[in-house]
Amino acid sequence: MSTQQDIDPATVEVIRNYLTSAATEMQRTLIRTAYNTIIYEILDFGISIFDRDLNLIADSPGLALFLGANDYGIKKAVDHVGEENMNPGDVFIMNYPYWSGTHTLDVLLFAPVFHDEDLIGYTTCRAHWLDLGAKDSGYVLDSTDVHQEGVLFPGTKVYKDGEPDPEIMDIIRFNSRMPEKVVGDLNAQVAAVRTGEERLQELYEKYGGETVESAVNKVLNHGEETARKAVEELPDGSWSATGYADGVNRDSDDLIKLKATVTIDGDEFEVDFSGSSDEVDEPLNIPPGMSETICKLCFKTITTPEEDSNGGQYAPLSMTVPKGNIFNASYPAPTFTVWTGIVAIDVVYQALAKGMPDRVPASTGGDLADIMLYGENPETGRPFVEANNEAVGWGAGINHDGENALMHISETMVRNIPIEVFENKAPIRFDQLSLREDSGGPGKHRGGLGICRDFRVLEPVGALSIIQKTRTENWGLDGGEPGMKNVVALDSEEDDFDERVQILVDNDDLYDDEDVTYAGMFRGNFVPGEVISNRTAGGGGYGDPYERDPDAVREDFRDGYVSREAAREQYGVVVTEDGEIDQETTEELRSTR
């Protein structure tokens, strides 16, 4: 924007908060009108408002990884459509992954906003749809081409001059296994962008365009200045880290390599993904918009974590990713299972931790560990899809334990589905939902615990897992140790289990129990009585476990966080049968290490 009108700080703050409030109202509109639980319970969406120059001026998560993808997607969409082809009342749809920044079911709707016939900005709403013509119901885990992943929209007018385009609506409706819910969610997104459109127009009407644009300029400039100052306070240097994603049907010595190098030089901050695996023939390639979002998320958390987001805050950040790299997916590479992007976040943090271990905690559980159920509802006869992101342990820091059972940092405001709602929507019963004992990484400060959730199947149902961090450990810091790995245990006594269930990541070699099947990703049909046990990873520990206060270890034992055996073997603390510390044996154990 070119407007430079002088404006008092109070007015700037009123306008900034008005924009944030508008984004929040868009969020509430979406939640109240959406049809599927993944939107209105899990909050799997991202809402953003942009000025005419495509600068982010307000947002409302949802899902953090959607917000950065919105930044990338709106630029690609406007470039494709052209401002000259936009009219008041238009709404556009985009899910072309290489432009939209995530997979085909994370559908971006956006509306140009006009005031006095002038284009003044854009409102956007991205949300997860249940089905759009992909080769499989629910989720695609083994595609080899983007055209197996659903109908593609590159920025198509779904509303023209305020009215839905019946032909585009028919394409959507007739290419979905659940057209009522998909169209219902589309309408909810339209209501959300319309709400933002109205609020932005009201703001211009009240204050005038010159005042609003001057205020926005000041907000963006302040965002950049604050972020650059924060980067200057970080140590200069370059640090690299490497992690691995499981892949699909891969051997343990052929996992997908994810490498990140972070370089800080003055007030500039760069993330370089060179050295990672090339594109793969699995749906694990990361669209460039999501790669940018990974960088933005990590950058934001160590520079301006307490401030509302705006485009100016990301001016110091740059990304390098070579052509053909897994972080730079290009047509027609499959991208549906973008969980590699989730795993990559902890890789960037690990690189940062090497340069600033006092500011970055140890690894989280490193995944979302999603179980999805699909099929025909036995009561209604209608197709359904229900999913649940699961909590993991967070990493310990230099002066604190990791938090137990929180959503992965990529999820921001995302929740899991309440048990009562899930059991009502799908033919399952939860036998257990508990913290996973001994899952937190040992350390002077213990990593947070993951969870154990057992799904008991009551009627025939399809089920799958979306998870990519089960074969390798996470990481601790300063002598702290990794937490337990993610794993899904499948318990069946049926002879035809192997014929009905496809194991895409086989983990039997990592565990001793032969009575159950240990998996990462899987997909199949389950019958009554079978149990799917989702066991999520703990966070990494910080510091030498033998330096942990014995009283803290005893309290961990009493709370069920650490077993008696782990207290002795990992912490050198002997807990008696009555729950007290055997001081003499403990001192002896710790002195011999």
Side-chain angles (χ1 to χ4, degrees):
M1 291 183 174
S2 59
T3 305
Q4 299 294 329
Q5 174 188 337
D6 288 336
I7 183 172
D8 64 275
T11 302
V12 172
E13 279 300 288
V14 169
I15 290 173
R16 183 182 70 81
N17 280 279
Y18 189 104
L19 291 167
T20 300
S21 177
T24 301
E25 188 176 353
M26 291 171 66
Q27 179 202 78
R28 291 174 177 169
T29 300
L30 178 69
I31 291 172
R32 289 170 177 168
T33 55
Y35 273 51
N36 93 73
T37 56
I38 295 175
I39 296 176
Y40 68 76
E41 289 287 359
I42 292 180
L43 310 184
D44 195 340
F45 57 76
I47 289 166
S48 309
I49 301 175
F50 298 89
D51 67 12
R52 177 174 178 169
D53 297 324
L54 304 178
N55 297 303
L56 174 69
I57 56 177
D59 65 17
S60 185
L63 191 68
L65 288 182
F66 282 179
L67 298 178
N70 288 355
D71 297 354
Y72 189 89
I74 189 65
K75 293 172 184 174
K76 289 292 185 180
V78 172
D79 183 62
H80 175 70
V81 175
E83 287 185 7
E84 68 278 7
N85 297 314
M86 298 179 182
N87 300 303
D90 290 349
V91 178
F92 296 80
I93 181 172
M94 171 190 270
N95 72 335
Y96 187 63
Y98 319 106
W99 294 351
S100 74
T102 182
H103 68 184
T104 54
L105 286 189
D106 292 335
V107 179
L108 175 66
L109 264 66
F110 67 94
V113 184
F114 292 84
H115 180 257
D116 291 338
E117 299 184 354
D118 293 326
L119 179 65
I120 60 173
Y122 301 87
T123 57
T124 69
C125 177
R126 183 189 303 268
H128 182 92
W129 287 11
L130 295 178
D131 190 271
L132 197 53
K135 75 182 188 71
D136 299 317
S137 292
Y139 227 80
V140 179
L141 304 179
D142 59 354
S143 53
T144 58
D145 183 287
V146 70
H147 292 291
Q148 299 170 346
E149 300 178 346
V151 179
L152 303 176
F153 293 99
T156 306
K157 281 188 186 181
V158 67
Y159 270 63
K160 295 180 179 179
D161 300 322
E163 297 296 329
D165 185 316
E167 294 178 347
I168 301 300
M169 295 296 288
D170 275 350
I171 290 173
I172 294 170
R173 188 177 292 110
F174 282 87
N175 279 281
S176 175
R177 298 172 178 88
M178 287 168 278
E180 290 183 4
K181 288 193 173 184
V182 164
V183 171
D185 290 336
L186 182 153
N187 290 336
Q189 288 178 261
V190 170
V193 298
R194 288 282 187 247
T195 298
E197 181 181 2
E198 292 170 5
R199 297 298 168 263
L200 194 55
Q201 289 167 338
E202 288 173 0
L203 186 64
Y204 268 69
E205 191 65 33
K206 181 175 182 178
Y207 288 97
E210 190 173 358
T211 298
V212 172
E213 291 169 10
S214 292
V216 167
N217 269 334
K218 289 185 178 293
V219 170
L220 295 173
N221 290 337
H222 177 265
E224 179 174 353
E225 291 169 6
T226 303
R228 288 197 182 279
K229 182 178 179 180
V231 175
E232 287 179 337
E233 294 173 355
L234 299 175
D236 283 356
S238 186
W239 312 277
S240 296
T242 301
Y244 294 89
D246 296 345
V248 178
N249 292 321
R250 286 175 173 257
D251 295 331
S252 58
D253 61 352
D254 185 35
L255 303 181
I256 295 174
K257 181 181 179 182
L258 306 172
K259 182 178 179 181
T261 299
V262 176
T263 300
I264 299 175
D265 183 7
D267 64 356
E268 297 291 333
F269 187 110
E270 180 196 29
V271 181
D272 186 349
F273 292 115
S274 300
S276 300
S277 291
D278 292 336
E279 287 184 355
V280 295
D281 292 329
E282 301 151 63
L284 299 165
N285 300 289
I286 306 171
M290 175 170 280
S291 300
E292 282 193 7
T293 303
I294 293 166
C295 302
K296 287 181 175 180
L297 172 62
C298 298
F299 177 81
K300 174 97 174 132
T301 58
I302 62 168
T303 55
T304 57
E306 303 298 330
E307 297 188 14
D308 293 335
S309 291
N310 65 70
Q313 294 165 353
Y314 302 106
L317 175 65
S318 62
M319 180 185 76
T320 299
V321 55
K323 185 177 181 180
N325 187 289
I326 195 169
F327 285 92
N328 195 7
S330 59
Y331 176 86
T335 64
F336 203 98
T337 312
V338 288
W339 256 237
T340 34
I342 307 300
V343 178
I345 291 170
D346 275 296
V347 178
V348 176
Y349 278 128
Q350 187 176 12
L352 284 167
K354 292 180 179 181
M356 52 197 83
D358 57 327
R359 301 192 57 155
V360 178
S363 174
T364 70
D367 212 311
L368 307 186
D370 196 316
I371 300 293
M372 179 174 283
L373 305 179
Y374 59 93
E376 184 177 285
N377 188 301
E379 295 183 2
T380 66
R382 293 184 175 183
F384 77 91
V385 172
E386 295 294 337
N388 197 53
N389 295 341
E390 208 57 86
V392 295
W394 280 36
I398 192 171
N399 56 11
H400 63 84
D401 289 346
E403 291 292 339
N404 297 330
L406 290 182
M407 287 292 172
H408 188 268
I409 192 170
S410 64
E411 304 305 281
T412 319
M413 303 298 292
V414 167
R415 313 177 299 202
N416 54 26
I417 296 180
I419 285 176
E420 297 82 0
V421 174
F422 210 133
E423 290 182 339
N424 178 262
K425 299 285 187 178
I428 50 93
R429 182 183 71 230
F430 291 110
D431 286 355
Q432 175 184 195
L433 175 58
S434 65
L435 292 174
R436 187 183 179 193
E437 188 179 60
D438 292 334
S439 60
K444 179 180 179 180
H445 301 293
R446 174 186 43 75
L449 274 65
I451 63 92
C452 181
R453 185 193 291 262
D454 291 353
F455 298 69
R456 181 172 294 276
V457 176
L458 303 180
E459 299 287 347
V461 68
L464 58 87
S465 62
I466 317 165
I467 182 170
Q468 275 292 304
K469 181 71 174 175
T470 66
R471 297 291 302 174
T472 55
E473 293 180 325
N474 58 29
W475 43 274
L477 285 174
D478 195 27
E481 298 178 16
M484 282 185 174
K485 299 183 184 75
N486 297 290
V487 69
V488 183
L490 306 174
D491 189 358
S492 174
E493 297 180 357
E494 302 296 328
D495 294 336
D496 64 344
F497 176 80
D498 291 341
E499 300 173 10
R500 291 183 282 107
V501 179
Q502 180 185 17
I503 305 298
L504 300 171
V505 177
D506 188 341
N507 286 328
D508 278 341
D509 61 313
L510 300 179
Y511 301 90
D512 296 330
D513 188 354
E514 297 181 358
D515 293 332
V516 298
T517 298
Y518 289 98
M521 285 205 310
F522 70 87
R523 183 188 191 99
N525 298 310
F526 288 76
V527 299
E530 293 179 327
V531 175
I532 302 167
S533 181
N534 193 18
R535 304 171 187 179
T536 68
Y542 199 113
D544 185 348
Y546 270 50
E547 294 182 8
R548 186 167 178 77
D549 185 342
D551 288 336
V553 177
R554 178 186 60 189
E555 291 306 307
D556 286 345
F557 167 75
R558 290 177 173 177
D559 289 336
Y561 297 169
V562 173
S563 66
R564 181 177 282 107
E565 294 74 20
R568 182 184 183 111
E569 295 172 7
Q570 297 173 348
Y571 294 94
V573 175
V574 179
V575 181
T576 65
E577 292 297 325
D578 59 358
E580 298 300 331
I581 298 173
D582 182 333
Q583 297 287 355
E584 181 177 351
T585 309
T586 294
E587 290 175 8
E588 182 180 342
L589 272 176
R590 288 192 159 193
S591 66
T592 57
R593 179 165 177 174

